[in-house]
Amino acid sequence: MISAPDVVAFTREEELEDELYSEPPLPEEYSVPLFPFASHGANPWAKVASSKFTRDFILISEFSEQVGPQPLLTIPDDAKVSGTFDLNYFSLRIMSVDYQASFVGHPPGSAYPKLNFVEDSKVVLGDSKEGAFAYVHHLTLYDLEARGFVRPFCMAYISADEHKIMQQFQELSAEFSKASECLKTGNRKAFANELEKKLKDLDYTRTVLHNETEIQKKANDKGYYTTQAIEKANELASVEKSIIEHQDLLKQIRSYPYRKLKGSDFHPYEPECALDQANTGCDQDLAASDPAEPGERHLYAHVPPYTPKLIKAKSAKCFDKKLKTLEELCDIYFFTQTLDQLHQIERTFRGDACYLLTDQISRALLRQQSVTNFLFEDVSFLDEKPPEKQYRGCQGLSQDAVDRKCSEESPAPKVVISLGSYKSSVESVPIKMEQEIEDSQEPQMTESITSEQQENLDYLDADIKGSISSGESIEVLGTEKSASGLTKSESQASLPVSPSPQAGRSKVGSRRTVSEDSIEVLSTCPSESLIPEDFKASHPSAINEEPYLDDEEGGLRFTPKLSPDNADEQGELSKEENLMQVDSACCIGKESPNFLEPLPDLGQKPCDEDGVVRIPPQPYRQVEPGLHGSFGAFPSHDGISGGLLPYELDSRYLSGSRELSKSSLDECSDSASYISSAASTCSDRTPSPAHPACQASERHKKRAGQNALRFIRQYPFAHPAIYSLLSGRTLIVLGEEEAIVKKLVTALSIFLPSCGPYARPVKHWVTSPLHVVDFQKWKLIGLQRTVSPGGVNVLHTLSRYSRYVSILDADSKTLRCPLYKGTLVSRLADHRTQIKRGSTYYMHVQSILTQLCSKAFLFTFCHHLHLPISEREPEEAVVNRRMSFLKLQLGLANEDIKIVQYLAELLKLQYVQEPGQGANPLLRFDYVPSFLYKI
Amino acid sequence: KSPVQTIGEEQIQNPYTELLVLKAHQDIVRFLVRIDDYRFASAGDDGIVFLWNAQTGERLFELHGHTQKITAIAPFSSSDDSEEKNHLILTASADRTVIVWDCTSGRQVQKVSCFHSTVKCLTVLQRLDVWLSGGSDLCVWNRKLDLLCKTSHLTDAGISALLELPKNCVAAAVGKELIIFRLVASNDGSEGWNVLEVKRLVDHQDNILSLVSVNDLTFATGSHVGELIVWDALDWTKQASECNFWDSSVHPDLQPEIKLSQSPNEISVQHLTSDEECVFAAVGKGIYVYNLQMKRVIACQRTAHDSSVLHIEKLPNRQLISCSEDGSVRIWELREKQQLPAEPVPTGFFNMWGFGRANKQANQAAKKMQENTPVHFLELVGDLIGHSSAVQMFLYFGELGLATCSADHLIIFWKDGERESRLRSLTLFQKLAQNGDLQCKF
């Protein structure tokens, strides 16, 4: 993990500005702005006073057609969480900005009611009075009994920290989309089910009516129809019509156009054949289409056959009727899955925003350090989350169909960040390059969309609105529009109305609007079928447009064009960067021109590595003015990242931050910065949601850090002990009490380099005598001391293998290990450190270790440090060069050299290792005398 | 008793700073045999033979065929005239079979199971392209595993060691006797051989445990009661003998009761090795260097190990490696020191000649004896500790390292850490270049 050693309040003052120009400033995301209420004695980290709830939570609300907006449930489901916060009021707020209230019913010129497959809308809104800011995710679920067959719902992530919402928009959006997709999938299933039942009812009703009519006909031979007979005939006709309508609806719901998402991570829930069936056999009746869905049938095989009911002629929608609950609307399985997912979201995003941000940054950086990251990091957290994860509950259902569906389905929206794009944004560019990813997918995707769309449109007029990839355009905050475009007045996103291949790619402007009641809405509307006039008419005063935003929109629209869409440019970029950074790599320690020669051999990786370490990831959150500035100054992307020198970056960064500090006083411009910051953040952001295991490991880290802190304060010989760990000499913690030993082992494990990505060489508790194999495998061992004869044996083997191990005796507080005279460990473990918190200390350790890793990397991958430059060069010359590099360039002294050499060996082993076979564990050792340390 | 010499943790001259544990056997590993420059085979009481790559530690083959413990193993390379060298190994087992294995394919080539007793030793006569198996009788086989000839039943105990001698002769150690056999071309046959017993040497007082060829003209034998006899290889006469390594007359400081308490184990000659000048004998816990020219022991380490020394080997660089039942491997260097006659033995000096607190008189006598002659001594330059049980044998692979096998079922390959590190760097950059990660800019 790369993190600031400790959080130090950094407040900007005007008179310091000049100095700041010359010095590399603290990255924006680490700095703490002057707190406006400092005079009140509050600290900058204090909770915003106005918020009435204690922590972030997720709220699910519904716009009930009977009672209006109402909160349904909160996650965590704890009354304390929301406190005095008025959920009802807030539900009203969030539901009132539902942009997608979809149009269902009889569209003009269409005979049957149409279902709209509506994309969810995602908005951010804030209520500064309440001190609540929310990411709001609107979705509609189908309910046959509901008005227009739809029930609007929304899920909101509510936090007191608006920055968090803005910064994490992309992640929130991705995660909530997953949850929503899960919910909707279940809902479609339930809806189809409901329709089938309804159809059976209708069919039955028709038969009954038909029979009645026949009877009447027979009974009545007067030659004319009685009113009764006419009524019956009308009734029959309406039932017939209803059947057709419902059949149509069923086809529509079954033909949910999954294919539009082909190419992305989204996989259809329905079997493909269902879609084909629906498309080709539009005239076929239900009975015919049923066999086409073996999965479906199989799935419901166990469901008892449904007994049709007679439907009354007028099944009026009655308000006294109880509406289905959310749980009923969705399949229970999917409902639980969604709840799990939401709980996961809550766990992931709770806590301070800067922590989330740091975590994401370091995760992104770490992922790049593929060569070294295994040393001190738990690499498994970096692995992409497997898609099945979310649906792991599926195994519970034995049916294959379900399994297949579930695993296929996981709808993880694709927000990919490539190394290159990440890098370039680190270097200078505030605009995301996500474009390129999208672009690469776009062709096939749009193709399939269009063909699909054409078919669907022909047949269904299904509205596949707004490609899911809001990311492909630069806007972040987007409601992916609905057919009706009910609220779209100000987004004059002027898009072609016809569904053309361009539709998916169309750039979309982003908009911020401020409603009078301080609800801020950031929205974009990539709508094809939008009718702004409609909206304006219906909500004339809802939102005021801010004219000055036009500029901004221009700027933002401009950005996609900047983004290079191929890897070549990235290659160039990184090459150029390499050149820059190679130089700087040479400057480690002191300048030594004669050493420049071998360094170019480093190739790309060392440079990346070095660059990453050297340049803090500061320009993450480019603020708006900076954004504009960069556009003006650098019309082309590679011009920016390739040619920009660090000081340019800094100054640009500074100007930006100055702007921010000024503008933060000003509400309006403040809001302007939101968009940009959100835009830039999301572009730089790693997409991966926090790993679930992270939560556990966080706690573990904290505890380990705390114990380590205690260890270095308590034991004056902490340094040689840590040196043993870092230099690959097995450290044995010997003690009688398991708890004490394990605690020490946990504490010390944070200093321990791993030998490979998947195994930590730590053994917390051993009671049997050790063998040489154990030292090969474990580098930190907790060993039981007993008085039994067996224990004597244990101690005997210890003394036998004493050359391979350092022994920390937890009972008598002694340490037997080689001497350490280096300087590195003292920085790592200063017993006079002011760090108080375990997690902080953990980060401190990680940052120093990361530095160490970069040194080891540089050392490992310098060709001429290990191999002769020419054939004739004697080995001694290489050795001399190696030692002088370690001493002078890397600034290592005494035993520190051995640490770096050991790490280098690990790197070599890891790199050289063939992917298939596990590395042969080696035991390297030195013949050095040990000393006994006592307190 | 003089304590075992120890060396501190600082061992500057010890090159082995990296080890690789090869874990495959399930029982005592007794034999290591070198196949070629980088491969070796290991065998032991579990009856399985493993082939290893000495460079990487990779396990190449696992050879199953024997049902009982392996009693002898010998490499059998094909004759030089064939194009590609075909490496075979012969293994004999307590299940009374001998199996020929192909080291390239890892397959069993042939199996002989017509033995009346366990074959205890195998010897390949490369020159004649035959191999000999020694059990209760001596059999001669050709490459195709045809039995060419055999001796009559010699003894129930069987032949414990075989050694090739010049003029188509072999020496077989059978109990206390050393029997010389000669292979003569059979009168009738094309390539048939007959084996004739030509001489029985009965000079040893006890069982002959070790048999080593010194050079073309000399070989040496060692027995259970500590006799070392140097023989002429041509006429099989005794050239010299040393049988008082342990003799208290040389060490008058030893108390009689201590002498009495000496068990034969402590004086048995476990293993012999030699270079052109000297025979190195592992006697009990000690190591003795016997100079052939001077016909006397020139250096010794009476208690080189805590327990019996099982195997010793001379390295080209005047170093000697020994392994012992105590689980350790020690590296010794034979050094010369011109000692001034008048100078007393410095205290703390190595236990040369076994002098602990040397009797002054004897000391003087000894000094007189070696006046103006270079004083040799064995200096401990390093020890390798890794095995938890007796180290049965080791195999020196030059700069590749050293393989040791032990009763703890493990084989440990000891390597020079510096060299390995360099090699890994080389591999690393090769792989970088291969992956195209390395953009050459020089």
Side-chain angles (χ1 to χ4, degrees):
Chain A
M1 181 176 299
I2 294 152
S3 14
D6 205 349
V7 177
V8 178
F10 176 79
T11 48
R12 249 174 263 104
E13 287 171 46
E14 293 300 316
E15 63 266 31
L16 283 178
E17 257 175 35
D18 287 343
E19 282 175 46
L20 287 170
Y21 272 117
S22 55
E23 276 175 33
L26 197 67
E28 172 70 8
E29 61 270 19
Y30 298 133
S31 74
V32 179
L34 282 171
F35 189 58
F37 312 112
S39 52
H40 300 91
N43 68 54
W45 293 277
K47 284 266 178 272
V48 180
S50 54
S51 78
K52 289 176 180 162
F53 48 93
T54 51
R55 53 183 279 200
D56 297 359
F57 65 98
I58 294 171
L59 171 69
I60 300 182
S61 303
E62 183 198 359
F63 199 113
S64 161
E65 62 193 50
Q66 291 173 351
V67 298
Q70 58 169 352
L72 294 180
L73 57 100
T74 61
I75 293 168
D77 193 10
D78 183 358
K80 273 184 285 180
V81 169
S82 50
T84 57
F85 186 65
D86 189 347
L87 289 178
N88 281 309
Y89 173 73
F90 204 75
S91 291
L92 175 66
R93 280 292 175 81
I94 57 181
M95 291 313 287
S96 66
V97 292
D98 181 6
Y99 275 38
Q100 54 145 30
S102 20
F103 175 81
V104 186
H106 295 256
S110 161
Y112 309 123
K114 295 292 175 221
L115 286 181
N116 291 309
F117 296 111
V118 184
E119 293 294 342
D120 301 346
S121 74
K122 302 155 186 179
V123 296
V124 171
L125 62 81
D127 188 332
S128 44
K129 233 189 301 175
E130 295 281 323
F133 298 88
Y135 164 85
V136 187
H137 193 105
H138 293 283
L139 68 152
T140 34
L141 299 180
Y142 301 110
D143 183 356
L144 201 53
E145 287 151 17
R147 186 170 54 195
F149 305 131
V150 291
R151 303 264 304 267
F153 285 90
C154 86
M155 302 182 285
Y157 186 89
I158 301 168
S159 168
D161 182 2
E162 58 183 325
H163 290 278
K164 177 149 117 188
I165 301 290
M166 300 310 291
Q167 286 164 352
Q168 305 295 321
F169 182 88
Q170 200 75 357
E171 288 74 25
L172 283 168
S173 158
E175 293 299 302
F176 272 102
S177 297
K178 281 187 214 165
S180 156
E181 219 38 68
C182 187
L183 211 52
K184 287 196 289 186
T185 306
N187 173 245
R188 278 193 297 274
K189 232 166 83 169
F191 186 62
N193 219 16
E194 203 186 352
L195 272 172
E196 274 177 38
K197 285 180 186 172
K198 183 76 184 272
L199 272 169
K200 281 182 188 151
D201 289 348
L202 285 168
D203 205 43
Y204 176 69
T205 314
R206 182 177 60 178
T207 322
V208 170
L209 279 174
H210 190 74
N211 288 346
E212 282 175 9
T213 323
E214 289 301 309
I215 291 165
Q216 272 187 349
K217 266 188 196 161
K218 275 178 200 159
N220 163 36
D221 42 4
K222 288 175 193 160
Y224 63 91
Y225 294 108
T226 60
T227 32
Q228 219 181 6
I230 291 168
E231 222 167 70
K232 273 278 182 264
N234 282 343
E235 211 174 301
L236 188 60
S238 82
V239 167
E240 296 272 6
K241 184 167 178 263
S242 185
I243 287 177
I244 293 170
E245 276 176 13
H246 281 85
Q247 278 177 352
D248 194 68
L249 281 175
L250 187 60
K251 273 175 204 153
Q252 288 181 52
I253 196 77
R254 287 216 169 126
S255 66
Y256 176 74
Y258 297 99
R259 281 186 182 176
K260 71 194 171 104
L261 294 166
K262 219 186 221 170
S264 76
D265 280 347
F266 192 86
H267 295 290
Y269 148 67
E270 303 272 357
E272 292 271 294
C273 54
L275 185 54
D276 294 341
Q277 187 71 36
N279 283 342
T280 55
C282 46
D283 289 334
Q284 286 174 303
D285 62 11
L286 256 177
S289 68
D290 262 348
E293 288 157 340
E296 207 78 351
R297 278 154 58 94
H298 179 52
L299 190 59
Y300 291 108
H302 62 284
V303 177
Y306 177 68
T307 334
K309 294 187 295 268
L310 186 67
I311 293 177
K312 281 193 194 156
K314 290 289 173 192
S315 65
K317 291 179 181 103
C318 16
F319 277 82
D320 52 342
K321 188 181 167 201
K322 189 182 167 289
L323 284 171
K324 288 195 183 70
T325 64
L326 186 55
E327 200 169 334
E328 286 164 343
L329 272 180
C330 311
D331 192 283
I332 180 72
Y333 168 74
F334 287 95
F335 180 71
T336 351
Q337 283 294 331
T338 312
L339 282 191
D340 288 349
Q341 170 79 9
L342 290 176
H343 277 287
Q344 185 56 50
I345 293 173
E346 195 273 327
R347 275 196 297 273
T348 309
F349 291 96
R350 68 165 67 143
D352 196 78
C354 82
Y355 193 74
L356 279 173
L357 191 62
T358 317
D359 191 50
Q360 284 163 345
I361 295 169
S362 52
R363 200 180 294 275
L365 289 170
L366 268 176
R367 199 169 286 123
Q368 289 177 64
Q369 299 174 316
S370 54
V371 177
T372 54
N373 59 14
F374 72 91
L375 281 178
F376 293 104
E377 303 294 335
D378 197 341
V379 186
S380 53
F381 291 150
L382 297 176
D383 292 346
E384 292 301 328
K385 195 166 159 184
E388 294 78 18
K389 181 118 205 161
Q390 186 189 349
Y391 290 95
R392 60 191 178 279
C394 291
Q395 278 76 16
L397 302 177
S398 59
Q399 287 139 331
D400 291 350
V402 174
D403 277 352
R404 181 164 46 84
K405 280 177 194 170
C406 293
S407 59
E408 271 176 357
E409 187 188 23
S410 72
K414 188 151 187 169
V415 187
V416 184
I417 185 153
S418 72
L419 199 147
S421 70
Y422 169 75
K423 182 157 192 73
S424 58
S425 26
V426 166
E427 291 296 283
S428 63
V429 184
I431 290 306
K432 80 162 92 176
M433 295 171 65
E434 196 172 69
Q435 177 77 17
E436 71 201 33
I437 295 130
E438 299 292 344
D439 272 359
S440 60
Q441 297 176 344
E442 205 66 28
Q444 318 103 320
M445 196 166 112
T446 16
E447 237 173 72
S448 63
I449 289 174
T450 34
S451 59
E452 193 70 46
Q453 252 178 349
Q454 293 300 3
E455 287 173 58
N456 284 328
L457 283 171
D458 290 346
Y459 163 54
L460 289 175
D461 196 21
D463 295 309
I464 308 151
K465 306 293 169 44
S467 79
I468 199 169
S469 54
S470 71
E472 66 111 9
S473 45
I474 207 64
E475 100 290 351
V476 187
L477 309 174
T479 89
E480 275 139 336
K481 67 37 231 346
S482 67
S484 60
L486 206 50
T487 57
K488 292 307 172 56
S489 80
E490 50 256 36
S491 52
Q492 340 96 331
S494 47
L495 294 171
V497 173
S498 64
S500 71
Q502 304 302 330
R505 305 175 144 244
S506 52
K507 316 270 181 330
V508 180
S510 86
R511 294 257 126 196
R512 173 191 166 275
T513 56
V514 179
S515 67
E516 287 146 342
D517 59 352
S518 87
I519 292 181
E520 296 171 357
V521 179
L522 292 144
S523 76
T524 58
C525 29
S527 91
E528 295 121 57
S529 54
L530 185 69
I531 313 159
E533 290 76 18
D534 284 356
F535 177 76
K536 279 188 171 153
S538 57
H539 303 263
S541 65
I543 294 166
N544 295 327
E545 189 174 339
E546 291 178 55
Y548 72 90
L549 284 174
D550 280 350
D551 286 344
E552 184 177 295
E553 179 166 312
L556 284 166
R557 280 188 178 182
F558 180 49
T559 52
K561 293 169 199 149
L562 290 183
S563 307
D565 56 350
N566 57 44
D568 289 356
E569 287 197 45
Q570 280 178 39
E572 278 179 42
L573 290 186
S574 53
K575 261 186 239 162
E576 284 173 59
E577 286 154 14
N578 286 349
L579 289 175
M580 285 164 50
Q581 288 161 12
V582 163
D583 285 345
S584 59
C586 299
C587 302
I588 293 178
K590 68 164 201 183
E591 293 257 338
S592 86
N594 58 359
F595 203 79
L596 289 179
E597 169 184 20
L599 279 164
D601 296 334
L602 288 174
Q604 235 166 290
K605 293 202 172 170
C607 301
D608 283 354
E609 181 83 0
D610 179 51
V612 166
V613 172
R614 188 174 50 83
I615 301 175
Q618 29 181 324
Y620 255 102
R621 225 176 60 177
Q622 279 299 333
V623 285
E624 187 57 19
L627 192 67
H628 280 295
S630 71
F631 287 160
F634 306 101
S636 86
H637 184 122
D638 47 22
I640 295 172
S641 54
L644 211 63
L645 293 171
Y647 66 86
E648 285 176 292
L649 265 178
D650 294 340
S651 64
R652 210 163 49 81
Y653 152 74
L654 257 190
S655 70
S657 55
R658 240 181 324 157
E659 287 290 343
L660 178 66
S661 57
K662 279 183 203 148
S663 64
S664 64
L665 303 170
D666 171 342
E667 278 294 323
C668 297
S669 52
D670 186 24
S671 60
S673 70
Y674 280 171
I675 293 171
S676 63
S677 71
S680 57
T681 7
C682 76
S683 62
D684 300 334
R685 195 53 25 74
T686 15
S688 85
H691 199 281
C694 275
Q695 308 299 331
S697 84
E698 279 315 315
R699 230 169 299 134
H700 169 81
K701 282 176 189 171
K702 200 169 160 185
R703 230 177 352 172
Q706 194 61 51
N707 288 338
L709 206 51
R710 205 169 296 144
F711 172 75
I712 61 168
R713 291 213 175 104
Q714 210 171 22
Y715 292 83
F717 46 73
H719 289 185
I722 293 168
Y723 163 67
S724 285
L725 291 172
L726 285 174
S727 59
R729 187 177 172 114
T730 302
L731 180 69
I732 291 174
V733 181
L734 188 64
E736 277 176 43
E737 275 188 55
E738 187 173 352
I740 293 173
V741 170
K742 278 188 170 172
K743 206 176 194 177
L744 267 175
V745 169
T746 313
L748 286 164
S749 66
I750 68 172
F751 301 104
L752 183 66
S754 297
C755 303
Y758 295 107
R760 294 283 294 160
V762 182
K763 185 85 180 161
H764 283 85
W765 187 242
V766 176
T767 53
S768 55
L770 296 166
H771 288 276
V772 72
V773 191
D774 299 318
F775 308 131
Q776 195 173 250
K777 211 181 330 173
W778 312 113
K779 297 296 176 194
L780 178 58
I781 304 174
L783 184 65
Q784 184 185 33
R785 180 211 302 275
T786 50
V787 279
S788 66
V792 174
N793 204 8
V794 166
L795 294 183
H796 174 74
T797 53
L798 267 195
S799 70
R800 177 174 177 83
Y801 294 121
S802 61
R803 69 178 53 173
Y804 305 123
V805 294
S806 299
I807 301 164
L808 176 64
D809 191 327
D811 300 330
S812 62
K813 305 238 188 295
T814 59
L815 173 72
R816 192 186 163 282
C817 79
L819 203 61
Y820 174 72
K821 297 191 294 286
T823 55
L824 212 148
V825 176
S826 56
R827 276 195 289 143
L828 198 60
D830 181 4
H831 67 278
R832 287 165 309 201
T833 178
Q834 296 299 309
I835 298 172
K836 297 276 190 304
R837 292 167 58 98
S839 49
T840 317
Y841 181 67
Y842 182 82
M843 288 186 200
H844 168 72
V845 168
Q846 289 287 292
S847 72
I848 302 234
L849 291 179
T850 305
Q851 253 178 13
L852 193 58
C853 277
S854 68
K855 285 183 178 177
F857 182 92
L858 201 57
F859 173 67
T860 315
F861 286 87
C862 272
H863 180 272
H864 296 160
L865 296 181
H866 305 278
L867 302 172
I869 295 172
S870 68
E871 298 270 322
R872 298 178 305 281
E873 193 178 36
E875 181 57 31
E876 295 82 62
V878 181
V879 172
N880 287 339
R881 189 161 55 225
R882 183 157 62 223
M883 292 318 281
S884 80
F885 178 84
L886 286 167
K887 281 179 186 153
L888 303 175
Q889 260 72 26
L890 295 185
L892 300 169
N894 306 323
E895 279 77 19
D896 293 341
I897 289 175
K898 279 188 185 157
I899 296 179
V900 170
Q901 280 176 331
Y902 172 67
L903 296 181
E905 268 337 288
L906 291 180
L907 291 181
K908 282 186 217 169
L909 278 171
Q910 186 58 31
Y911 192 87
V912 166
Q913 183 202 339
E914 295 300 320
Q917 63 194 111
N920 274 323
L922 285 176
L923 178 60
R924 286 173 63 81
F925 48 92
D926 291 306
Y927 297 104
V928 288
S930 288
F931 296 88
L932 188 68
Y933 294 85
K934 290 177 185 163
I935 284 193
Chain B
K1 281 185 191 176
S2 55
V4 177
Q5 189 190 345
T6 52
I7 183 166
E9 283 168 323
E10 211 161 0
Q11 301 176 13
I12 303 153
Q13 291 184 75
N14 190 343
Y16 301 108
T17 54
E18 192 172 304
L19 66 83
L20 191 59
V21 178
L22 310 178
K23 202 173 177 177
H25 284 283
Q26 280 134 34
D27 208 333
I28 299 174
V29 192
R30 292 188 190 272
F31 303 101
L32 293 174
V33 63
R34 185 171 177 152
I35 297 163
D36 55 19
D37 286 344
Y38 69 98
R39 287 185 297 175
F40 68 94
S42 65
D45 287 3
D46 56 2
I48 308 167
V49 180
F50 287 96
L51 298 191
W52 303 92
N53 182 330
Q55 278 165 334
T56 60
E58 190 188 349
R59 189 199 298 179
L60 301 171
F61 293 111
E62 189 172 340
L63 311 178
H64 291 271
H66 289 297
T67 55
Q68 288 185 46
K69 66 178 190 178
I70 286 167
T71 51
I73 183 167
F76 189 15
S77 300
S78 62
S79 43
D80 296 332
D81 53 329
S82 68
E83 282 295 308
E84 54 200 69
K85 268 212 160 181
N86 189 19
H87 294 284
L88 301 175
I89 46 172
L90 301 166
T91 54
S93 158
D95 60 7
R96 299 186 186 180
T97 58
V98 170
I99 296 180
V100 184
W101 309 92
D102 184 347
C103 297
T104 321
S105 64
R107 271 187 306 213
Q108 179 177 329
V109 177
Q110 218 166 340
K111 184 170 182 174
V112 188
S113 47
C114 59
F115 294 98
H116 300 298
S117 67
T118 302
V119 174
K120 288 186 175 167
C121 50
L122 292 165
T123 284
V124 174
L125 304 185
Q126 206 74 52
R127 195 162 38 86
L128 305 177
D129 204 24
V130 297
W131 57 275
L132 286 74
S133 65
S136 60
D137 50 11
L138 180 73
C139 304
V140 183
W141 310 79
N142 68 4
R143 178 170 288 277
K144 298 188 189 86
L145 266 73
D146 300 323
L147 178 63
L148 300 177
C149 57
K150 60 188 277 188
T151 63
S152 56
H153 182 80
L154 294 166
T155 156
D156 286 336
I159 298 168
S160 60
L162 277 172
L163 181 72
E164 183 185 3
L165 296 177
K167 296 194 203 164
N168 292 357
C169 289
V170 280
V174 183
K176 296 177 192 175
E177 296 181 342
L178 189 65
I179 307 177
I180 310 292
F181 294 98
R182 174 171 280 157
L183 287 157
V184 289
S186 61
N187 305 325
D188 59 329
S190 42
E191 61 154 342
W193 294 92
N194 274 332
V195 60
L196 299 174
E197 181 182 325
V198 288
K199 190 156 187 181
R200 271 182 195 244
L201 305 166
V202 289
D203 297 77
H204 277 293
Q205 303 297 311
D206 206 336
N207 289 344
I208 298 168
L209 296 179
S210 50
L211 191 56
V212 66
S213 163
V214 177
N215 52 38
D216 283 347
L217 301 172
T218 337
F219 70 97
T221 53
S223 81
H224 193 57
V225 287
E227 301 145 309
L228 171 71
I229 300 178
V230 180
W231 308 87
D232 187 307
L234 296 173
D235 57 8
W236 316 300
T237 53
K238 196 152 93 172
Q239 284 192 339
S241 74
E242 182 78 42
C243 52
N244 52 359
F245 293 125
W246 67 96
D247 198 337
S248 58
S249 66
V250 186
H251 314 292
D253 56 320
L254 289 174
Q255 300 304 308
E257 59 270 21
I258 295 175
K259 182 191 167 192
L260 284 174
S261 74
Q262 278 182 327
S263 72
N265 262 344
E266 291 184 14
I267 51 167
S268 71
V269 180
Q270 303 281 350
H271 190 247
L272 289 172
T273 187
S274 76
D275 58 7
E276 290 294 311
E277 299 170 11
C278 299
V279 174
F280 303 88
V283 182
K285 298 174 183 174
I287 301 170
Y288 294 80
V289 183
Y290 184 84
N291 189 295
L292 291 169
Q293 243 103 59
M294 290 187 261
K295 296 198 175 175
R296 63 181 179 84
V297 173
I298 56 162
C300 79
Q301 194 60 252
R302 270 180 64 85
T303 43
H305 284 271
D306 285 320
S307 132
S308 292
V309 179
L310 296 178
H311 195 88
I312 54 172
E313 203 167 317
K314 175 75 169 56
L315 308 188
N317 53 359
R318 288 188 73 79
Q319 284 188 342
L320 190 67
I321 299 180
S322 63
C323 67
S324 150
E325 275 177 0
D326 65 5
S328 68
V329 176
R330 294 187 161 207
I331 305 165
W332 309 86
E333 190 163 294
L334 186 62
R335 292 192 181 162
E336 281 179 21
K337 189 168 183 183
Q338 192 71 49
Q339 198 174 19
L340 294 173
E343 192 185 321
V345 178
T347 51
F349 194 63
F350 301 110
N351 302 322
M352 192 190 31
W353 295 98
F355 290 133
R357 290 148 286 137
N359 178 295
K360 205 173 180 183
Q361 229 178 348
N363 200 355
Q364 292 302 331
K367 267 183 200 151
K368 268 174 207 156
M369 194 173 75
Q370 49 182 291
E371 235 170 83
N372 294 327
T373 57
V375 175
H376 293 266
F377 60 95
L378 284 169
E379 190 187 351
L380 183 63
V381 295
D383 61 347
L384 307 176
I385 293 175
H387 289 291
S388 53
S389 189
V391 181
Q392 298 288 339
M393 195 182 175
F394 59 86
L395 195 61
Y396 178 68
F397 258 99
E399 60 174 4
L400 271 186
L402 181 78
T404 58
C405 66
S406 157
D408 63 4
H409 312 176
L410 298 180
I411 299 166
I412 298 184
F413 206 84
W414 306 81
K415 297 172 174 190
D416 180 352
E418 287 289 308
R419 182 176 175 276
E420 291 301 311
S421 169
R422 214 160 50 235
L423 287 177
R424 274 193 288 273
S425 283
L426 192 63
T427 324
L428 176 100
F429 287 105
Q430 278 166 355
K431 187 166 177 183
L432 269 176
Q434 186 187 330
N435 292 0
D437 292 343
L438 185 72
Q439 289 162 353
C440 287
K441 286 173 186 164
F442 50 90

